[in-house]
Amino acid sequence: MKTVLITGCSSGYGLATAAHFLAQGWQVIATARTPRSDLLPPSPQLRVLPLDVTDAASIDAAIAAAGPIDVLVNNAGIGLFGAFEATPMATVREVFETNTFGVMALCQAVIPAFRERGAGCIINVTSSATLAPFPLVAAYTASKTAVEGFTASLAHELRSVGVQAKLVEPGYGPGTRFTANGQERMQGLVTAPYRDFAAQIFAGMGQLTAVTQPQDVAEAVWQAAHDDSGRLHFPAGADALALAAQPRQG
């Protein structure tokens, strides 16, 4: 029986991914900064652990408590929407600490055991914002694009020791807590010069019919975990799949 450790399981994509792997008979280690055992059905194959990906001690404790794992899913992330000109650099650094450096730290924590065993898979969840430019998310996109480049390079070096690295790229998920989780962080970032433009963007997003559901991401992560072809990119959701089929913009 294989074991997966998933970060950011309190809601959205992480929660759906944990439920999906659990339903398929895997041992699941669901982690979150503030873990709740009532979010998933009780199971002897489920463990819920605290994990703050920005805290080295928390990472060490979670990895030690987890024991041997077969797949790491770096899903934890925070959102940011607003004019870049109005975004404090402290906020940009906060986004990178979770979305980029947290991913790197978790990878570094699991690679030694994967390398020694000559097996293992790292799946880093990014965003369709890396597939085509989208306005008012410049810092967020930068944090996710950094993970794309990091993972592409990492996949090459890990392949030499029998370990895989993959990317799952979700589209726009209106059912996630992206906005709610970042509400305080985003206060005051849509300034007067950008207000009308932002209103147009929000109106357009409200009319989208091709969007990403949490189950789309769970299934893409499942596919990535079972793929042995060397494929790197796994778009998730109808909108992400459509973007991935187009020539890259920007």
Side-chain angles (χ1 to χ4, degrees):
M1 187 181 296
K2 289 192 173 183
T3 300
V4 59
L5 186 151
I6 307 164
T7 69
C9 289
S10 59
S11 64
Y13 301 152
L15 183 59
T17 301
H20 188 77
F21 275 76
L22 198 59
Q24 301 300 322
W26 277 49
Q27 297 274 7
V28 173
I29 301 168
T31 74
R33 280 181 298 180
T34 307
R36 287 175 50 191
S37 58
D38 62 330
L39 294 175
L40 291 160
S43 169
Q45 293 167 210
L46 171 67
R47 280 191 291 162
V48 180
L49 296 178
L51 173 57
D52 180 347
V53 302
T54 68
D55 184 306
S58 178
I59 291 172
D60 290 344
I63 295 301
I69 66 171
D70 299 283
V71 175
L72 166 68
V73 180
N74 276 312
N75 165 76
I78 58 177
L80 189 67
F81 184 95
F84 180 72
E85 127 180 27
T87 305
M89 284 306 299
T91 302
V92 175
R93 292 188 179 94
E94 181 187 358
V95 171
F96 268 78
E97 281 294 339
T98 295
N99 293 0
T100 309
F101 302 137
V103 168
M104 291 179 171
L106 260 296
C107 289
Q108 206 163 58
V110 304
I111 286 171
F114 282 2
R115 173 181 48 74
E116 288 172 10
R117 200 165 69 233
C121 182
I122 294 168
I123 300 171
N124 294 332
V125 179
T126 58
S127 168
S128 62
T130 66
L131 302 175
F134 192 82
L136 301 176
V137 288
Y140 170 80
T141 300
S143 72
K144 292 294 190 177
T145 302
V147 174
E148 293 256 327
F150 163 71
T151 307
S153 180
L154 185 66
H156 281 296
E157 65 186 79
L158 292 184
R159 193 175 299 127
S160 70
V161 292
V163 180
Q164 300 183 82
K166 313 283 184 71
L167 287 161
V168 168
E169 298 151 328
Y172 169 55
T176 69
R177 294 183 56 80
F178 178 95
T179 302
N181 288 342
Q183 201 66 52
E184 184 177 344
R185 194 180 306 110
M186 299 181 202
Q187 288 295 322
L189 298 190
V190 179
T191 50
Y194 299 95
R195 206 159 287 146
D196 291 345
F197 179 56
Q200 294 172 23
I201 298 299
F202 279 125
M205 291 167 67
Q207 296 172 5
L208 292 173
T209 55
V211 295
T212 297
Q213 303 299 332
Q215 188 60 27
D216 296 330
V217 180
E219 290 171 1
V221 172
W222 177 261
Q223 182 185 5
H226 289 82
D227 181 84
D228 291 322
S229 70
R231 177 181 169 188
L232 177 65
H233 297 273
F234 293 80
D239 51 338
L241 287 165
L243 286 173
Q246 299 173 5
R248 289 225 176 208
Q249 303 173 34

